[in-house]
Amino acid sequence: MNLSIRNGTLYVDNLRLCLAGAGNGRDHLPIGRYEVATQFAHAHGKVLTDAVGLGWIGNHDECDIVLGSVRGSNGVIPSPSSVSVLLARLEVAESIGQRVTLEVME
């Protein structure tokens, strides 16, 4: 499975999923390719997506990538449903042994 972030939008296998923005005090997302896995985030108290070398993908401003469906004056407004959809797709991919990568192209 291939995830990509282009122009502030997260795509899963080239299909638009939701908006994505920098969180955790970042001004922008670093361009690059990252291995992705789901795991328990102790700092957030739940299972989240981890882009290894970049950070957590979730619906909190403290995550490194914030997912949502609306952009406000301070960036993407976090959305739990966007994170749930991503986690569900990742669980399916991981259960059948697919490798998941994220490419940030902003």
Side-chain angles (χ1 to χ4, degrees):
M1 177 188 300
N2 294 307
L3 307 176
S4 61
I5 297 177
R6 301 186 304 264
N7 299 318
T9 303
L10 174 65
Y11 295 88
V12 178
D13 291 331
N14 291 318
L15 297 174
R16 184 187 185 283
L17 180 70
C18 63
L19 297 176
N24 203 14
R26 295 176 187 248
D27 292 329
H28 65 282
L29 296 173
I31 294 171
R33 183 178 291 274
Y34 307 92
E35 188 111 5
V36 173
T38 58
Q39 61 182 343
F40 188 80
H42 293 282
H44 301 287
K46 59 182 166 181
V47 174
L48 289 176
T49 304
D50 181 27
V52 179
L54 178 58
W56 297 108
I57 301 172
N59 62 317
H60 300 287
D61 291 330
E62 298 84 22
C63 290
D64 299 284
I65 300 174
V66 179
L67 301 183
S69 56
V70 177
R71 192 174 304 280
S73 59
N74 294 326
V76 174
I77 297 173
S79 167
S81 62
S82 297
V83 174
S84 295
V85 170
L86 177 61
L87 285 171
R89 291 184 180 201
L90 289 172
E91 286 176 3
V92 170
E94 290 174 346
S95 71
I96 60 174
Q98 277 187 337
R99 182 172 179 237
V100 182
T101 58
L102 167 67
E103 185 173 6
V104 178
M105 299 183 246
E106 290 195 322

Coordinates of all heavy atoms in Angstrom, one line a residue:
M1 N 0.9 -1.2 0.0 CA 0.0 0.0 0.0 C 0.9 1.2 0.0 O 1.9 1.3 0.7 CB -0.9 0.0 1.2 CG -1.8 1.3 1.3 SD -2.7 1.5 2.8 CE -3.7 0.0 2.8
N2 N 0.5 2.2 -0.8 CA 1.3 3.4 -0.9 C 0.4 4.6 -0.4 O -0.6 4.9 -0.9 CB 1.7 3.7 -2.3 CG 2.7 2.7 -2.8 OD1 3.7 2.4 -2.2 ND2 2.4 2.1 -3.9
L3 N 1.0 5.3 0.6 CA 0.4 6.5 1.1 C 1.2 7.7 0.6 O 2.4 7.6 0.4 CB 0.4 6.6 2.6 CG -0.2 5.4 3.4 CD1 0.0 5.6 4.9 CD2 -1.7 5.3 3.1
S4 N 0.5 8.8 0.2 CA 1.3 10.0 -0.2 C 0.6 11.2 0.3 O -0.6 11.2 0.4 CB 1.5 10.0 -1.7 OG 0.2 10.0 -2.4
I5 N 1.4 12.2 0.6 CA 0.8 13.5 0.9 C 1.3 14.5 -0.1 O 2.5 14.7 -0.3 CB 1.3 14.0 2.3 CG1 0.8 13.0 3.4 CG2 0.8 15.4 2.6 CD1 1.2 13.3 4.8
R6 N 0.3 15.0 -0.8 CA 0.6 16.0 -1.9 C -0.3 17.2 -1.7 O -1.5 17.0 -1.6 CB 0.4 15.4 -3.3 CG 1.2 14.2 -3.6 CD 1.0 13.7 -5.0 NE -0.4 13.4 -5.4 CZ -0.9 12.2 -5.4 NH1 -0.3 11.2 -5.0 NH2 -2.2 12.1 -5.8
N7 N 0.3 18.4 -1.7 CA -0.5 19.6 -1.6 C -1.5 19.6 -0.4 O -2.6 20.0 -0.5 CB -1.3 19.9 -2.9 CG -0.3 20.1 -4.0 OD1 0.7 20.7 -3.9 ND2 -0.7 19.5 -5.2
G8 N -1.0 19.1 0.7 CA -1.9 19.1 1.9 C -3.0 18.0 2.0 O -3.9 18.1 2.8
T9 N -2.9 17.0 1.1 CA -3.9 16.0 1.0 C -3.3 14.6 1.1 O -2.2 14.4 0.5 CB -4.7 16.1 -0.3 OG1 -5.3 17.4 -0.4 CG2 -5.8 15.1 -0.4
L10 N -3.9 13.7 1.9 CA -3.4 12.3 2.1 C -4.1 11.5 1.1 O -5.3 11.5 1.0 CB -3.6 11.8 3.5 CG -3.3 10.4 3.7 CD1 -1.8 10.1 3.6 CD2 -3.8 9.9 5.1
Y11 N -3.3 10.7 0.3 CA -3.8 9.8 -0.7 C -3.4 8.3 -0.3 O -2.3 8.1 0.2 CB -3.3 10.0 -2.1 CG -3.7 11.4 -2.6 CD1 -3.0 12.5 -2.4 CD2 -4.9 11.5 -3.4 CE1 -3.4 13.8 -2.9 CE2 -5.3 12.7 -3.9 CZ -4.5 13.8 -3.6 OH -4.9 15.1 -4.1
V12 N -4.4 7.4 -0.4 CA -4.1 6.0 -0.2 C -4.2 5.3 -1.6 O -5.3 5.3 -2.2 CB -5.1 5.3 0.8 CG1 -4.8 3.9 1.0 CG2 -5.0 6.1 2.1
D13 N -3.1 4.8 -2.1 CA -3.1 4.2 -3.4 C -3.7 5.1 -4.5 O -4.5 4.7 -5.2 CB -3.7 2.8 -3.4 CG -2.9 1.8 -2.7 OD1 -1.7 1.9 -2.6 OD2 -3.5 0.8 -2.1
N14 N -3.3 6.4 -4.4 CA -3.7 7.4 -5.3 C -5.2 7.8 -5.2 O -5.7 8.5 -6.1 CB -3.4 7.1 -6.8 CG -1.9 7.1 -7.0 OD1 -1.2 8.0 -6.5 ND2 -1.4 6.1 -7.7
L15 N -5.9 7.4 -4.2 CA -7.3 7.8 -3.9 C -7.3 8.8 -2.7 O -6.7 8.5 -1.7 CB -8.2 6.6 -3.6 CG -8.4 5.6 -4.8 CD1 -9.2 4.4 -4.3 CD2 -9.0 6.3 -6.0
R16 N -7.9 9.9 -2.9 CA -8.0 10.9 -1.8 C -8.6 10.4 -0.6 O -9.7 9.9 -0.6 CB -8.7 12.2 -2.3 CG -8.7 13.3 -1.3 CD -9.6 14.4 -1.8 NE -9.5 15.6 -0.9 CZ -10.1 15.7 0.2 NH1 -10.9 14.7 0.7 NH2 -10.0 16.8 1.0
L17 N -8.0 10.5 0.6 CA -8.6 10.1 1.8 C -9.0 11.3 2.7 O -10.2 11.4 3.1 CB -7.6 9.3 2.6 CG -8.1 8.8 4.0 CD1 -9.2 7.7 3.8 CD2 -7.0 8.2 4.8
C18 N -8.1 12.3 2.9 CA -8.4 13.4 3.7 C -7.3 14.5 3.6 O -6.4 14.3 2.9 CB -8.6 13.0 5.2 SG -7.1 12.3 5.9
L19 N -7.5 15.6 4.4 CA -6.5 16.6 4.4 C -5.4 16.1 5.4 O -5.7 15.4 6.3 CB -7.1 17.9 4.9 CG -8.1 18.5 4.0 CD1 -8.7 19.8 4.6 CD2 -7.5 18.8 2.6
A20 N -4.2 16.6 5.2 CA -3.1 16.3 6.1 C -2.2 17.5 6.3 O -2.0 18.2 5.3 CB -2.2 15.2 5.5
G21 N -1.8 17.8 7.5 CA -1.0 19.0 7.8 C 0.0 18.7 8.9 O 0.0 17.7 9.6
A22 N 1.0 19.6 9.0 CA 2.0 19.4 10.0 C 1.5 19.7 11.4 O 0.7 20.6 11.5 CB 3.2 20.4 9.6
G23 N 1.9 18.9 12.3 CA 1.5 19.1 13.7 C 2.7 19.2 14.6 O 3.9 19.3 14.1
N24 N 2.5 19.1 15.9 CA 3.6 19.0 16.8 C 4.6 20.2 16.7 O 5.8 20.0 16.9 CB 4.3 17.7 16.7 CG 5.0 17.3 18.0 OD1 4.8 17.9 19.0 ND2 5.9 16.3 17.9
G25 N 4.0 21.4 16.4 CA 4.8 22.6 16.3 C 5.6 22.7 15.0 O 6.4 23.7 14.9
R26 N 5.4 21.8 14.1 CA 6.2 21.9 12.8 C 5.5 23.0 11.9 O 4.3 23.1 11.9 CB 6.2 20.6 12.0 CG 6.9 19.5 12.7 CD 6.7 18.2 11.9 NE 7.2 17.1 12.6 CZ 8.3 16.4 12.2 NH1 8.9 16.7 11.1 NH2 8.7 15.3 12.8
D27 N 6.3 23.6 11.1 CA 5.8 24.6 10.1 C 5.4 23.8 8.8 O 4.5 24.3 8.1 CB 6.8 25.6 9.8 CG 7.0 26.6 10.9 OD1 6.1 26.8 11.7 OD2 8.2 27.1 11.1
H28 N 6.1 22.7 8.5 CA 5.9 22.0 7.3 C 6.3 20.5 7.5 O 7.0 20.2 8.5 CB 6.6 22.6 6.1 CG 8.1 22.5 6.3 ND1 8.8 23.4 7.1 CD2 9.0 21.7 5.7 CE1 10.1 23.1 7.0 NE2 10.2 22.0 6.2
L29 N 5.9 19.7 6.6 CA 6.3 18.2 6.7 C 7.6 18.0 5.9 O 7.7 18.5 4.8 CB 5.2 17.4 6.1 CG 3.9 17.4 6.9 CD1 2.8 16.6 6.2 CD2 4.1 16.8 8.3
P30 N 8.6 17.3 6.4 CA 9.8 17.0 5.7 C 9.5 16.1 4.5 O 8.8 15.1 4.6 CB 10.7 16.4 6.7 CG 9.9 16.1 7.9 CD 8.6 16.8 7.8
I31 N 10.0 16.5 3.3 CA 9.9 15.7 2.1 C 10.7 14.4 2.3 O 11.8 14.4 2.8 CB 10.3 16.5 0.9 CG1 9.4 17.6 0.7 CG2 10.4 15.6 -0.3 CD1 9.8 18.6 -0.4
G32 N 10.1 13.3 1.9 CA 10.8 12.0 2.0 C 9.9 10.8 1.9 O 8.7 11.0 1.7
R33 N 10.5 9.6 2.0 CA 9.7 8.4 2.0 C 10.0 7.7 3.4 O 11.1 7.6 3.8 CB 10.3 7.5 0.9 CG 9.5 6.2 0.7 CD 10.0 5.4 -0.4 NE 9.7 6.0 -1.7 CZ 8.5 5.8 -2.4 NH1 7.6 5.0 -1.9 NH2 8.4 6.3 -3.5
Y34 N 8.8 7.2 4.0 CA 8.9 6.7 5.3 C 8.1 5.3 5.3 O 7.0 5.2 4.8 CB 8.2 7.6 6.3 CG 8.8 9.0 6.2 CD1 8.3 10.0 5.4 CD2 10.0 9.3 7.0 CE1 8.9 11.3 5.3 CE2 10.5 10.6 6.9 CZ 10.0 11.6 6.1 OH 10.5 12.8 6.0
E35 N 8.7 4.4 6.1 CA 8.0 3.1 6.3 C 6.9 3.4 7.4 O 7.1 4.2 8.3 CB 9.0 2.1 6.9 CG 8.4 0.7 7.0 CD 9.0 -0.2 6.1 OE1 10.0 0.1 5.4 OE2 8.6 -1.4 6.0
V36 N 5.7 2.8 7.2 CA 4.6 3.0 8.1 C 4.1 1.8 8.7 O 4.0 0.7 8.1 CB 3.4 3.7 7.2 CG1 2.1 3.8 8.0 CG2 3.8 5.0 6.7
A37 N 3.7 1.9 10.0 CA 3.1 0.7 10.7 C 2.1 1.3 11.8 O 2.3 2.4 12.2 CB 4.2 -0.1 11.4
T38 N 1.2 0.5 12.2 CA 0.3 0.8 13.3 C 0.9 0.3 14.6 O 1.4 -0.8 14.6 CB -1.1 0.3 13.1 OG1 -1.1 -1.1 13.0 CG2 -1.8 0.9 11.9
Q39 N 0.8 1.1 15.6 CA 1.3 0.6 16.9 C 0.7 1.5 18.0 O 0.1 2.5 17.8 CB 2.8 0.6 17.0 CG 3.5 1.9 16.8 CD 5.0 1.7 16.9 OE1 5.5 0.7 17.4 NE2 5.7 2.6 16.4
F40 N 0.8 1.0 19.3 CA 0.2 1.7 20.4 C 1.1 2.9 20.7 O 2.3 2.7 20.9 CB 0.1 0.8 21.6 CG -0.6 1.5 22.8 CD1 -2.0 1.6 22.8 CD2 0.1 2.0 23.8 CE1 -2.7 2.2 23.8 CE2 -0.6 2.7 24.8 CZ -2.0 2.7 24.8
A41 N 0.5 4.1 20.8 CA 1.3 5.3 21.1 C 1.0 5.6 22.6 O 0.0 6.1 22.9 CB 0.8 6.4 20.2
H42 N 2.0 5.3 23.4 CA 1.8 5.6 24.8 C 1.5 7.0 25.2 O 0.7 7.3 26.0 CB 3.1 5.1 25.6 CG 3.2 3.6 25.6 ND1 2.5 2.7 26.3 CD2 4.0 2.8 24.8 CE1 2.8 1.5 26.1 NE2 3.8 1.5 25.1
A43 N 2.2 7.9 24.4 CA 2.0 9.4 24.7 C 0.5 9.8 24.4 O 0.0 10.8 24.9 CB 2.9 10.2 23.8
H44 N -0.1 9.1 23.5 CA -1.5 9.4 23.1 C -2.5 8.5 23.6 O -3.7 8.7 23.5 CB -1.6 9.5 21.6 CG -0.7 10.5 21.0 ND1 -0.9 11.9 21.0 CD2 0.5 10.3 20.3 CE1 0.1 12.5 20.4 NE2 1.0 11.6 20.0
G45 N -2.1 7.4 24.2 CA -3.0 6.4 24.8 C -3.9 5.6 23.9 O -4.9 5.1 24.3
K46 N -3.4 5.4 22.7 CA -4.2 4.6 21.7 C -3.4 4.2 20.5 O -2.2 4.6 20.4 CB -5.4 5.4 21.2 CG -5.1 6.7 20.5 CD -6.4 7.4 20.1 CE -6.2 8.8 19.7 NZ -7.4 9.5 19.4
V47 N -3.9 3.3 19.7 CA -3.2 2.9 18.5 C -3.3 4.0 17.5 O -4.3 4.6 17.2 CB -3.9 1.6 17.9 CG1 -3.2 1.2 16.6 CG2 -3.7 0.4 18.9
L48 N -2.1 4.3 16.9 CA -2.0 5.3 15.9 C -1.0 4.8 14.8 O -0.4 3.7 14.9 CB -1.4 6.6 16.4 CG -2.3 7.4 17.3 CD1 -1.5 8.6 17.8 CD2 -3.5 7.9 16.6
T49 N -0.9 5.5 13.7 CA 0.0 5.2 12.6 C 1.3 5.9 12.9 O 1.3 7.0 13.2 CB -0.6 5.7 11.3 OG1 -1.9 5.1 11.1 CG2 0.3 5.3 10.1
D50 N 2.4 5.1 12.7 CA 3.7 5.6 12.9 C 4.4 5.6 11.6 O 4.6 4.6 11.0 CB 4.5 4.8 14.0 CG 5.9 5.3 14.2 OD1 6.1 6.5 14.1 OD2 6.8 4.5 14.6
A51 N 4.9 6.8 11.2 CA 5.7 7.0 10.0 C 7.1 7.0 10.6 O 7.6 8.0 11.1 CB 5.4 8.2 9.2
V52 N 7.8 5.9 10.4 CA 9.1 5.7 11.1 C 10.1 6.7 10.6 O 10.3 6.9 9.4 CB 9.7 4.3 10.8 CG1 11.0 4.1 11.5 CG2 8.7 3.2 11.4
G53 N 10.7 7.5 11.5 CA 11.6 8.6 11.1 C 10.9 9.9 11.0 O 11.6 11.0 10.9
L54 N 9.6 9.9 10.9 CA 8.8 11.2 10.8 C 8.0 11.4 12.1 O 8.1 12.5 12.7 CB 8.0 11.2 9.6 CG 7.1 12.4 9.4 CD1 7.9 13.7 9.3 CD2 6.3 12.3 8.1
G55 N 7.2 10.4 12.5 CA 6.4 10.5 13.7 C 5.0 10.0 13.5 O 4.7 9.3 12.6
W56 N 4.2 10.4 14.5 CA 2.8 9.9 14.6 C 1.9 10.6 13.6 O 2.0 11.8 13.4 CB 2.3 10.0 16.0 CG 3.1 9.2 17.0 CD1 3.9 9.7 18.0 CD2 3.1 7.8 17.2 NE1 4.4 8.7 18.7 CE2 3.9 7.5 18.2 CE3 2.4 6.8 16.5 CZ2 4.2 6.2 18.7 CZ3 2.6 5.5 16.9 CH2 3.5 5.2 18.0
I57 N 1.0 9.8 13.1 CA -0.1 10.3 12.2 C -1.4 10.2 13.0 O -1.7 9.0 13.4 CB -0.2 9.6 10.9 CG1 1.2 9.7 10.2 CG2 -1.3 10.1 10.1 CD1 1.2 8.8 8.9
G58 N -2.1 11.3 13.3 CA -3.3 11.1 14.1 C -4.2 12.4 14.1 O -4.0 13.2 13.2
N59 N -5.0 12.4 15.1 CA -6.0 13.5 15.1 C -5.8 14.4 16.4 O -6.7 14.9 17.0 CB -7.4 13.0 15.1 CG -7.7 12.1 16.3 OD1 -6.9 11.3 16.7 ND2 -8.9 12.2 16.9
H60 N -4.5 14.6 16.7 CA -4.2 15.6 17.8 C -3.1 16.5 17.3 O -2.3 16.1 16.4 CB -3.6 14.8 19.0 CG -4.5 13.8 19.6 ND1 -5.6 14.2 20.3 CD2 -4.5 12.5 19.5 CE1 -6.2 13.1 20.7 NE2 -5.6 12.0 20.2
D61 N -3.1 17.7 17.7 CA -2.1 18.7 17.3 C -0.7 18.3 17.7 O 0.3 18.7 17.2 CB -2.4 20.1 17.9 CG -3.7 20.7 17.3 OD1 -3.9 20.4 16.1 OD2 -4.3 21.5 17.9
E62 N -0.6 17.4 18.7 CA 0.7 16.9 19.2 C 1.2 15.8 18.3 O 2.4 15.4 18.4 CB 0.5 16.3 20.6 CG 0.2 17.4 21.7 CD -1.4 17.6 21.7 OE1 -2.1 16.7 21.3 OE2 -1.8 18.6 22.2
C63 N 0.4 15.3 17.3 CA 0.9 14.3 16.4 C 1.8 15.1 15.3 O 1.6 16.3 15.1 CB -0.2 13.6 15.7 SG -1.1 12.5 16.7
D64 N 2.7 14.4 14.7 CA 3.6 15.0 13.7 C 2.8 15.3 12.4 O 3.2 16.3 11.7 CB 4.8 14.1 13.5 CG 5.6 14.0 14.8 OD1 6.2 14.9 15.2 OD2 5.4 12.9 15.4
I65 N 1.8 14.5 12.1 CA 1.0 14.7 10.9 C -0.5 14.7 11.4 O -0.9 13.7 12.1 CB 1.2 13.7 9.8 CG1 2.6 13.7 9.3 CG2 0.2 13.9 8.7 CD1 2.9 12.6 8.3
V66 N -1.2 15.7 11.2 CA -2.6 15.8 11.7 C -3.5 15.6 10.5 O -3.4 16.2 9.4 CB -2.9 17.2 12.3 CG1 -4.3 17.3 12.7 CG2 -1.9 17.5 13.4
L67 N -4.5 14.7 10.7 CA -5.5 14.4 9.6 C -6.8 15.0 10.0 O -7.2 15.1 11.1 CB -5.6 12.8 9.5 CG -4.4 12.0 9.2 CD1 -4.8 10.6 9.1 CD2 -3.7 12.5 8.0
G68 N -7.5 15.4 8.9 CA -8.8 16.0 9.1 C -9.5 16.2 7.8 O -9.0 15.9 6.7
S69 N -10.7 16.8 7.8 CA -11.5 17.0 6.6 C -11.7 18.5 6.4 O -12.3 18.9 5.4 CB -12.8 16.3 6.7 OG -13.5 16.6 7.8
V70 N -11.3 19.4 7.3 CA -11.5 20.8 7.2 C -10.2 21.5 7.6 O -9.5 21.1 8.5 CB -12.6 21.3 8.1 CG1 -12.8 22.8 8.1 CG2 -13.9 20.6 7.8
R71 N -9.9 22.5 6.8 CA -8.7 23.3 7.1 C -9.1 24.7 7.8 O -9.9 25.4 7.2 CB -7.9 23.6 5.9 CG -6.5 24.2 6.1 CD -5.7 24.3 4.8 NE -5.5 23.0 4.1 CZ -4.7 22.1 4.4 NH1 -3.9 22.2 5.4 NH2 -4.6 21.0 3.6
G72 N -8.6 25.0 9.0 CA -8.9 26.2 9.6 C -7.8 27.2 9.5 O -6.8 27.0 8.7
S73 N -7.9 28.3 10.2 CA -6.8 29.3 10.1 C -5.5 28.9 10.6 O -4.5 29.5 10.2 CB -7.3 30.6 10.8 OG -7.5 30.3 12.2
N74 N -5.5 27.9 11.5 CA -4.2 27.4 12.1 C -3.8 26.1 11.5 O -3.0 25.4 12.1 CB -4.3 27.3 13.6 CG -4.4 28.7 14.2 OD1 -3.9 29.7 13.7 ND2 -5.2 28.8 15.3
G75 N -4.4 25.6 10.4 CA -4.0 24.4 9.8 C -5.2 23.4 9.8 O -6.4 23.8 9.9
V76 N -4.9 22.1 9.6 CA -6.0 21.1 9.5 C -6.6 20.9 10.9 O -5.9 20.8 11.9 CB -5.4 19.8 9.1 CG1 -6.4 18.6 9.1 CG2 -4.8 19.9 7.7
I77 N -7.9 20.9 10.9 CA -8.7 20.7 12.1 C -8.8 19.2 12.3 O -9.3 18.4 11.4 CB -10.1 21.3 12.0 CG1 -10.0 22.8 11.9 CG2 -10.9 20.9 13.3 CD1 -11.3 23.5 11.7
P78 N -8.2 18.6 13.4 CA -8.2 17.2 13.6 C -9.5 16.5 13.5 O -10.5 17.0 14.0 CB -7.6 17.0 15.0 CG -6.8 18.3 15.3 CD -7.7 19.4 14.5
S79 N -9.5 15.3 12.9 CA -10.8 14.5 12.7 C -10.5 13.1 13.1 O -9.8 12.4 12.4 CB -11.2 14.6 11.3 OG -12.2 13.6 11.0
P80 N -11.2 12.6 14.2 CA -11.1 11.2 14.5 C -11.5 10.2 13.4 O -10.9 9.1 13.3 CB -12.0 11.0 15.8 CG -12.1 12.4 16.3 CD -12.0 13.3 15.1
S81 N -12.5 10.6 12.7 CA -13.0 9.7 11.6 C -12.0 9.5 10.5 O -11.8 8.4 10.0 CB -14.3 10.1 11.0 OG -14.2 11.4 10.4
S82 N -11.2 10.5 10.2 CA -10.2 10.4 9.2 C -9.1 9.4 9.6 O -8.6 8.5 8.9 CB -9.5 11.7 8.9 OG -10.4 12.6 8.3
V83 N -8.7 9.5 10.9 CA -7.7 8.6 11.5 C -8.3 7.1 11.5 O -7.5 6.2 11.2 CB -7.3 9.0 12.9 CG1 -6.4 8.0 13.6 CG2 -6.6 10.4 12.8
S84 N -9.5 7.0 11.9 CA -10.2 5.6 11.9 C -10.1 5.0 10.6 O -9.9 3.8 10.4 CB -11.6 5.7 12.5 OG -11.6 6.1 13.8
V85 N -10.5 5.7 9.5 CA -10.5 5.2 8.2 C -9.1 4.7 7.8 O -8.9 3.6 7.2 CB -11.0 6.2 7.1 CG1 -10.8 5.7 5.7 CG2 -12.5 6.4 7.4
L86 N -8.1 5.6 8.0 CA -6.7 5.2 7.7 C -6.2 3.9 8.5 O -5.7 3.0 7.9 CB -5.7 6.3 8.0 CG -4.2 6.0 7.8 CD1 -3.9 5.7 6.4 CD2 -3.4 7.2 8.3
L87 N -6.5 3.9 9.8 CA -6.2 2.7 10.6 C -6.8 1.4 10.1 O -6.2 0.4 10.0 CB -6.5 2.9 12.1 CG -5.6 3.9 12.9 CD1 -6.2 4.2 14.2 CD2 -4.2 3.3 13.0
A88 N -8.1 1.5 9.7 CA -8.8 0.3 9.2 C -8.1 -0.2 7.9 O -7.9 -1.4 7.7 CB -10.2 0.7 8.9
R89 N -7.7 0.7 7.0 CA -7.1 0.3 5.8 C -5.7 -0.3 6.0 O -5.3 -1.2 5.4 CB -7.0 1.5 4.8 CG -8.3 1.9 4.3 CD -8.2 3.0 3.3 NE -9.5 3.3 2.8 CZ -9.8 3.9 1.6 NH1 -8.8 4.3 0.9 NH2 -11.0 4.2 1.3
L90 N -5.0 0.3 7.0 CA -3.6 -0.2 7.4 C -3.7 -1.6 8.0 O -2.9 -2.4 7.7 CB -2.9 0.8 8.3 CG -2.5 2.1 7.7 CD1 -1.9 3.0 8.7 CD2 -1.4 1.8 6.6
E91 N -4.7 -1.8 8.8 CA -4.9 -3.1 9.5 C -5.1 -4.2 8.4 O -4.6 -5.3 8.5 CB -6.0 -3.1 10.5 CG -5.7 -2.3 11.7 CD -6.8 -2.2 12.7 OE1 -7.9 -2.8 12.4 OE2 -6.7 -1.6 13.8
V92 N -5.9 -3.9 7.4 CA -6.1 -4.8 6.3 C -4.8 -5.1 5.6 O -4.5 -6.3 5.3 CB -7.2 -4.3 5.4 CG1 -7.3 -5.2 4.1 CG2 -8.6 -4.3 6.0
A93 N -4.1 -4.1 5.2 CA -2.9 -4.2 4.5 C -1.9 -5.0 5.3 O -1.2 -6.0 4.8 CB -2.3 -2.9 4.1
E94 N -1.7 -4.7 6.6 CA -0.8 -5.4 7.5 C -1.2 -6.9 7.7 O -0.3 -7.8 7.7 CB -0.7 -4.7 8.8 CG 0.1 -3.4 8.7 CD 0.1 -2.6 10.0 OE1 -0.7 -3.0 11.0 OE2 0.9 -1.7 10.1
S95 N -2.5 -7.2 7.7 CA -2.9 -8.5 7.9 C -2.6 -9.5 6.8 O -2.5 -10.7 6.9 CB -4.4 -8.6 8.2 OG -5.2 -8.3 7.1
I96 N -2.5 -8.9 5.6 CA -2.1 -9.7 4.4 C -0.7 -9.6 4.0 O -0.3 -10.0 3.0 CB -3.1 -9.4 3.2 CG1 -3.0 -7.9 2.8 CG2 -4.5 -9.8 3.5 CD1 -3.7 -7.6 1.5
G97 N 0.1 -8.9 4.9 CA 1.5 -8.8 4.7 C 2.0 -7.8 3.7 O 3.2 -7.8 3.3
Q98 N 1.2 -6.8 3.4 CA 1.6 -5.7 2.5 C 2.5 -4.8 3.2 O 2.3 -4.4 4.4 CB 0.4 -4.9 2.0 CG -0.3 -5.5 0.8 CD -1.3 -4.6 0.3 OE1 -1.8 -3.7 0.9 NE2 -1.7 -4.8 -1.0
R99 N 3.5 -4.3 2.5 CA 4.4 -3.3 3.0 C 3.7 -1.9 2.8 O 3.2 -1.7 1.7 CB 5.7 -3.3 2.3 CG 6.7 -2.3 2.8 CD 8.1 -2.6 2.1 NE 9.0 -1.6 2.6 CZ 9.7 -0.8 1.8 NH1 9.6 -0.9 0.5 NH2 10.6 0.0 2.3
V100 N 3.8 -1.0 3.8 CA 3.1 0.3 3.6 C 4.2 1.4 3.7 O 5.0 1.3 4.7 CB 2.0 0.5 4.7 CG1 1.4 1.8 4.5 CG2 1.0 -0.6 4.7
T101 N 4.2 2.3 2.8 CA 5.1 3.4 2.8 C 4.3 4.7 2.6 O 3.3 4.7 2.0 CB 6.2 3.3 1.7 OG1 5.6 3.2 0.4 CG2 7.1 2.1 1.9
L102 N 4.9 5.8 3.2 CA 4.4 7.1 3.0 C 5.4 8.0 2.3 O 6.6 8.0 2.7 CB 4.1 7.7 4.4 CG 3.8 9.2 4.4 CD1 2.5 9.6 3.7 CD2 3.8 9.8 5.8
E103 N 5.0 8.6 1.3 CA 5.8 9.6 0.6 C 5.3 11.0 0.7 O 4.1 11.2 0.3 CB 6.0 9.2 -0.9 CG 6.9 10.1 -1.6 CD 7.2 9.7 -3.1 OE1 6.5 8.8 -3.5 OE2 8.1 10.3 -3.7
V104 N 6.0 11.9 1.3 CA 5.6 13.2 1.5 C 6.3 14.0 0.4 O 7.5 14.0 0.2 CB 6.1 13.8 2.9 CG1 5.7 15.3 3.0 CG2 5.5 13.0 4.0
M105 N 5.4 14.7 -0.4 CA 5.9 15.4 -1.6 C 5.5 16.9 -1.5 O 5.5 17.6 -2.6 CB 5.2 14.8 -2.8 CG 5.5 13.4 -3.1 SD 4.7 12.9 -4.6 CE 3.6 11.7 -3.9
E106 N 5.2 17.5 -0.4 CA 4.8 18.9 -0.3 C 5.9 19.8 -0.8 O 6.9 20.0 -0.4 CB 4.4 19.2 1.1 CG 3.2 18.6 1.5 CD 2.5 19.2 2.8 OE1 3.3 19.6 3.7 OE2 1.3 19.3 2.8

